[in-house]
Amino acid sequence: MAAYAQDAIMLLGDSITQGGYEFNGIAARLAHVYNRKMDVINRGYSGYNTDWIIPVFEQIFATQHEQQHVPKVRLLVIWFGANDAAVPPKAQHVPLERYKANLSKLIWMVSSPESPRYSPDTRVILLTPPPVNTIQWSVRQASKDPPQQLDRNFEVTRTYAEAAKEVGRKEGVAVVDVWTKFWEGAGKVEADLKKYLTDGLHLNEEGYAVVFEEITRTIAERYPEYHHDNLRFVFAL
Amino acid sequence: MAAYAQDAIMLLGDSITQGGYEFNGIAARLAHVYNRKMDVINRGYSGYNTDWIIPVFEQIFATQHEQQHVPKVRLLVIWFGANDAAVPPKAQHVPLERYKANLSKLIWMVSSPESPRYSPDTRVILLTPPPVNTIQWSVRQASKDPPQQLDRNFEVTRTYAEAAKEVGRKEGVAVVDVWTKFWEGAGKVEADLKKYLTDGLHLNEEGYAVVFEEITRTIAERYPEYHHDNLRFVFAL
């Protein structure tokens, strides 16, 4: 039973977050640079969208009453959209307006004094979903047993990325625009997104490396007090 | 502020543990397979020996009174010896008998009903220090500014590994014998330990991969109820 030793970074997201300890991924990279400074709590849930995460988030983020006993979440990284943008009749689909409302709700849950989970020490970073490479993803879908239809659309995912940016501006939180970073890095050629993606949807090592660079740059700019270079070891010789 | 969502694996050790999120290391690999099942808490402290860790462990492992509020540590991995085995006059040196007594003390702290930190749900895994490759390590020491003397000895580290095994048998906890695994894997040729080590003391990706395999095999044999394949997701759709 671990006592409260270090504050934490919570990564809230879908399978792209859940996979963040593999491939030298985003969770492993953050945990490495924040060693002995902050713990990284991976709360990535494969398959989840913003509708389904809200009742989970209510259970994993402490209420004000509970907060005195548990590590403070200094940084909350919210990264959804890859599943919300699945096209109907896919069960994961969340309509664009509700996706935006859900993101706002998640931010409200930690940042509003009216919220039972109000946490004034928590800074939010909102990530846009990566662009989908439907050339890769259709191969992956066809390889399933039984074969699956293509359930993602390049332009639709783009609108979800734009929507996340809009929510970030409206709510005044930092945004890491993964979508644009990958799209520009791939020379705006869908097939070349394979540079960052294993299967058209999930990230490979280079994809995670880019996201790590963008997150730490954003922390330095927006929340420098929580940048790893500005924190001391909790226990030092 | 994270509520109590998942139980935990705590990794207690020195720099070899601290580095466990790098190089697809032991912390990253465990965190990946225990995703959505148990959190991995890295409590590796570069430079530490078993003398110095005890007062830290008193602060990072919850007392019985605190345990109701914080995640249960189901598995406690204790991995020291690489610094204890430094040769005098190195300040890190801990005499062999005190090294054994300190390891027993750490185990006692979580397993004795007399201990303020008694935690009956915690299973202990004790790791032996890896063999030191003094051919690599002397190059690393000489490259320092100013150059440093060689401060490790192959045979001395072997005696610390033997001592850790002896403590494991005496205390009835599982032991992962990293020393022997690496030594046999290197064909009992000191120079060939570079297969597992970056600098003669710390592990590279292959070294961590071997340790991961040995730890999960040991969990399957000794504490199968906590093996990742036998645990369910805490939140599942």
Side-chain angles (χ1 to χ4, degrees), chain A residues 1-6 8 10 17-24 27-29 31-32 35-36 39-48 52 55-56 59-63 66-74 118-122 233 235-237, chain B residues 1-6 8 10 17-24 27-29 31-32 35-36 39-48 52 55-56 59-63 66-74 118-122 233 235-237:
Chain A
M1 303 156 193
Y4 179 165
Q6 296 182 181
M10 182 181 282
T17 298
Q18 184 179 322
Y21 282 118
E22 205 179 23
F23 305 134
N24 201 13
R29 285 175 187 266
H32 181 63
N35 252 327
R36 298 173 64 175
D39 290 322
V40 170
I41 300 176
N42 190 340
R43 293 291 178 264
Y45 296 90
S46 175
Y48 276 65
W52 301 333
V56 171
Q59 294 173 74
I60 63 177
F61 201 91
T63 60
E66 297 164 327
Q67 287 175 10
Q68 59 182 307
H69 300 297
V70 295
K72 279 190 178 26
V73 174
R74 297 287 181 177
Y118 175 50
S119 173
D121 298 307
T122 302
F233 282 159
F235 294 100
L237 280 177
Chain B
M1 304 155 192
Y4 179 166
Q6 295 181 183
M10 182 183 282
T17 298
Q18 184 178 322
Y21 283 118
E22 205 179 22
F23 306 134
N24 201 13
R29 284 176 188 266
H32 182 63
N35 251 328
R36 297 173 63 174
D39 289 322
V40 171
I41 299 176
N42 190 341
R43 294 290 178 263
Y45 297 90
S46 176
Y48 276 66
W52 301 335
V56 171
Q59 295 173 74
I60 63 177
F61 201 91
T63 60
E66 297 163 329
Q67 287 176 11
Q68 58 181 308
H69 300 297
V70 296
K72 279 189 178 26
V73 175
R74 297 286 182 179
Y118 175 50
S119 172
D121 298 307
T122 302
F233 282 159
F235 295 100
L237 279 178

Side-chain angles (χ1 to χ4, degrees), chain B residues 130-204:
Chain B
V132 61
N133 179 349
T134 55
I135 301 151
Q136 277 181 294
W137 190 244
S138 59
V139 171
R140 185 267 200 186
Q141 291 292 84
S143 74
K144 290 268 175 176
D145 184 16
Q148 310 256 311
Q149 294 292 312
L150 183 62
D151 57 2
R152 300 292 195 289
N153 174 292
F154 180 85
E155 285 300 331
V156 169
T157 296
R158 184 209 293 261
T159 64
Y160 281 73
E162 288 301 321
K165 282 196 279 187
E166 186 186 322
V167 171
R169 281 192 300 269
K170 181 180 154 211
E171 305 294 346
V173 302
V175 172
V176 169
D177 188 1
V178 176
W179 198 94
T180 300
K181 197 77 196 169
F182 281 14
W183 185 233
E184 293 181 348
K188 303 191 180 182
V189 175
E190 186 175 342
D192 290 348
L193 287 167
K194 66 177 186 298
K195 179 176 170 185
Y196 302 120
L197 304 171
T198 57
D199 57 7
L201 188 71
H202 299 97
L203 276 58
N204 64 18

Side-chain angles (χ1 to χ4, degrees), chain A:
Chain A
M1 303 156 193
Y4 179 165
Q6 296 182 181
D7 293 340
I9 299 171
M10 182 181 282
L11 308 180
L12 184 72
D14 51 35
S15 55
I16 300 171
T17 298
Q18 184 179 322
Y21 282 118
E22 205 179 23
F23 305 134
N24 201 13
I26 187 61
R29 285 175 187 266
L30 286 170
H32 181 63
V33 297
Y34 280 94
N35 252 327
R36 298 173 64 175
K37 295 173 177 178
M38 293 212 272
D39 290 322
V40 170
I41 300 176
N42 190 340
R43 293 291 178 264
Y45 296 90
S46 175
Y48 276 65
N49 59 29
T50 56
D51 274 352
W52 301 333
I53 202 63
I54 289 174
V56 171
F57 192 60
E58 286 172 346
Q59 294 173 74
I60 63 177
F61 201 91
T63 60
Q64 291 188 57
H65 176 72
E66 297 164 327
Q67 287 175 10
Q68 59 182 307
H69 300 297
V70 295
K72 279 190 178 26
V73 174
R74 297 287 181 177
L75 291 166
L76 173 65
V77 176
I78 300 176
W79 196 5
F80 287 98
N83 294 326
D84 297 65
V87 292
K90 191 86 174 180
Q92 291 166 304
H93 172 74
V94 173
L96 193 65
E97 289 305 313
R98 202 161 76 228
Y99 169 68
K100 290 196 278 187
N102 286 342
L103 290 179
S104 287
K105 172 76 183 283
L106 289 168
I107 297 165
W108 177 90
M109 287 170 74
V110 299
S111 62
S112 167
E114 312 290 309
S115 163
R117 289 167 190 77
Y118 175 50
S119 173
D121 298 307
T122 302
R123 304 287 170 263
V124 175
I125 301 177
L126 190 59
L127 271 59
T128 65
V132 62
N133 179 348
T134 56
I135 301 151
Q136 277 180 294
W137 190 243
S138 58
V139 172
R140 184 267 199 186
Q141 289 294 83
S143 74
K144 290 269 176 177
D145 184 17
Q148 310 256 312
Q149 294 292 313
L150 183 63
D151 58 2
R152 300 291 196 287
N153 174 292
F154 181 85
E155 285 299 330
V156 169
T157 296
R158 184 208 293 261
T159 63
Y160 282 72
E162 289 300 320
K165 282 196 279 187
E166 187 186 323
V167 171
R169 280 190 300 269
K170 182 181 153 211
E171 305 294 346
V173 301
V175 172
V176 169
D177 188 2
V178 176
W179 197 96
T180 300
K181 197 77 197 169
F182 281 15
W183 185 233
E184 292 180 348
K188 303 191 180 183
V189 175
E190 186 175 344
D192 291 347
L193 287 166
K194 67 177 186 297
K195 178 176 170 185
Y196 302 119
L197 303 171
T198 59
D199 58 6
L201 189 70
H202 300 97
L203 275 57
N204 64 17
E205 182 158 355
E206 185 169 352
Y208 280 124
V210 168
V211 174
F212 170 75
E213 290 304 324
E214 291 299 301
I215 288 179
T216 49
R217 194 177 56 74
T218 300
I219 293 169
E221 285 174 12
R222 292 287 301 263
Y223 313 127
E225 67 278 21
Y226 295 157
H227 189 273
H228 58 92
D229 286 338
N230 298 331
L231 298 170
R232 296 180 188 188
F233 282 159
V234 172
F235 294 100
L237 280 177

